[in-house]
Amino acid sequence: MKKIFWFMVTLLSMTLNVLATEYKEGVHYTVIREQPSLTPEITSFFSFYCGHCYQFSQMEVPKMKAQLPQGVSFKQVQVAAVGGAMGEEMTKAFAIAQLLNVEDVIEGALFRAVHEQKVRFTQLDDIKKVFVDNGVDSADFDAAAASFMVSSKVAQMKQAVTEAGIVGVPTLIVNGKYRIETGAIKSYDEMRQIAYYLTGLK
């Protein structure tokens, strides 16, 4: 029994050591600011015009939402710089979806419209049709689009992109302090595990 006990202790110690050294600053993540957010959070920066983001939204975002460590929140930011002029409109559309509490439905619908149905949006009214087709009242959309709350959300998303130094998507920022670097990551699953690991750092 003693041998088994010490074997388990040694195995646990080795596992903890691996976990402690597996993810390294400057390799797997970068510190982008000194002070972390007040509460632990994972923020996903994405674009509706990014094919990898579409895959990430289907494969990893549902897992991330379902498996978040206790006390950790999950947020998403649409990056306006991707998609040309319509990138700006997509950010506004995402802000409208958040304000109307239809984010989950509209996110999937917009991704499918761009990547499966090959819809070529040219103005916000084109995007509005996707909202209406998915149960959003036309007047509610117009009111939200013209609201201060949506303008404020758009400004906040743009500021978040700038502060995080986003140069590609999808990108995860953890606790407002750590940016996960995808160059050293082998899979989306590993990206998600690094995000969980970083939520525990100060």
Side-chain angles (χ1 to χ4, degrees):
M1 287 296 292
K2 265 187 180 180
K3 288 184 179 180
I4 294 174
F5 172 78
W6 286 113
F7 172 78
M8 293 302 294
V9 168
T10 302
L11 184 61
L12 177 60
S13 177
M14 290 173 61
T15 302
L16 290 175
N17 287 335
V18 168
L19 288 174
T21 59
E22 185 178 2
Y23 305 130
K24 298 178 181 179
E25 180 181 344
V27 178
H28 298 95
Y29 64 92
T30 299
V31 176
I32 59 173
R33 58 184 290 187
E34 288 305 313
Q35 293 299 320
S37 53
L38 294 177
T39 57
E41 63 182 33
I42 297 172
T43 304
S44 174
F45 289 76
F46 76 99
S47 166
F48 284 113
Y49 285 102
C50 163
H52 292 298
C53 295
Y54 182 29
Q55 293 176 2
F56 193 75
S57 74
Q58 290 186 306
M59 297 166 55
E60 296 303 322
V61 169
K63 295 178 188 176
M64 193 167 293
K65 289 180 177 179
Q67 300 171 12
L68 280 174
Q70 187 173 4
V72 178
S73 61
F74 179 75
K75 301 177 180 179
Q76 289 179 284
V77 172
Q78 213 288 142
V79 178
V82 182
M86 287 309 298
E88 297 274 347
E89 300 291 18
M90 281 296 190
T91 294
K92 186 171 185 177
F94 194 58
I96 293 169
Q98 289 178 329
L99 184 63
L100 297 178
N101 294 316
V102 292
E103 180 180 346
D104 289 344
V105 173
I106 296 301
E107 179 186 339
L110 286 176
F111 266 127
R112 288 190 296 274
V114 172
H115 297 283
E116 294 182 15
Q117 300 159 12
K118 306 301 181 183
V119 176
R120 291 185 176 275
F121 296 111
T122 59
Q123 57 187 346
L124 189 61
D125 277 349
D126 297 337
I127 301 174
K128 174 183 174 179
K129 186 177 185 303
V130 175
F131 278 71
V132 173
D133 288 347
N134 283 274
V136 175
D137 183 78
S138 177
D140 289 343
F141 179 94
D142 291 339
S147 71
F148 170 77
M149 287 295 294
V150 162
S151 296
S152 179
K153 282 179 176 289
V154 169
Q156 288 170 7
M157 281 193 268
K158 289 182 177 180
Q159 183 178 357
V161 170
T162 300
E163 291 179 350
I166 300 299
V167 295
V169 285
T171 294
L172 296 181
I173 303 294
V174 182
N175 295 350
K177 181 175 180 177
Y178 306 105
R179 183 181 64 228
I180 296 178
E181 302 299 344
T182 57
I185 296 174
K186 301 179 180 66
S187 67
Y188 285 147
D189 183 67
E190 184 180 18
M191 188 176 179
R192 182 163 42 86
Q193 294 305 322
I194 293 174
Y196 296 158
Y197 164 77
L198 291 173
T199 60
L201 298 186
K202 302 296 183 183

